[in-house]
Amino acid sequence: MSCTSVVYCLERVLNLNDDYRQVFQVQGPSVLLMMVAGHTLLLPNRCPHQGAGLHNASLSSGVLRCPWHGIECALSTGRALNAPCANIEF
């Protein structure tokens, strides 16, 4: 069995500071690279509720809020906090 890995360099580490947020297109859907409270996060650039881009989402106390419908997701767990649909998560 053969195992192949692909590594993409998205950003230089020295550019990653708190509040960093950038969208990248990597073979398919876009991803959002963020630096929050010293943690580097990479997630799909789409709200799991209805697909809005999260690059313009507001961020407060580790909670990302979708700009379209206000769905809030905890970055620590990836789970929605106030979604009208059950089991929404990143």
Side-chain angles (χ1 to χ4, degrees):
M1 177 161 79
S2 174
C3 180
T4 59
S5 309
V6 177
V7 176
Y8 295 95
C9 180
L10 299 178
E11 183 62 87
R12 296 176 63 167
V13 172
L14 64 94
N15 293 332
L16 297 177
N17 51 35
D18 272 350
D19 300 324
Y20 176 93
R21 193 184 298 199
Q22 184 65 44
V23 176
F24 295 92
Q25 189 77 34
V26 181
Q27 288 191 354
S30 64
V31 292
L32 179 61
L33 178 62
M34 300 175 66
M35 186 74 150
V36 179
H39 293 57
T40 306
L41 304 172
L42 184 66
L43 52 134
N45 185 36
R46 64 179 300 280
C47 176
H49 175 233
Q50 290 192 359
L54 294 175
H55 56 280
N56 290 326
S58 62
L59 176 65
S60 178
S61 301
V63 175
L64 198 62
R65 186 172 193 269
C66 175
W68 281 8
H69 299 106
I71 300 299
E72 296 177 337
C73 290
L75 291 176
S76 61
T77 64
R79 293 209 168 123
L81 302 176
N82 63 343
C85 314
N87 300 324
I88 289 181
E89 59 185 68
F90 290 111

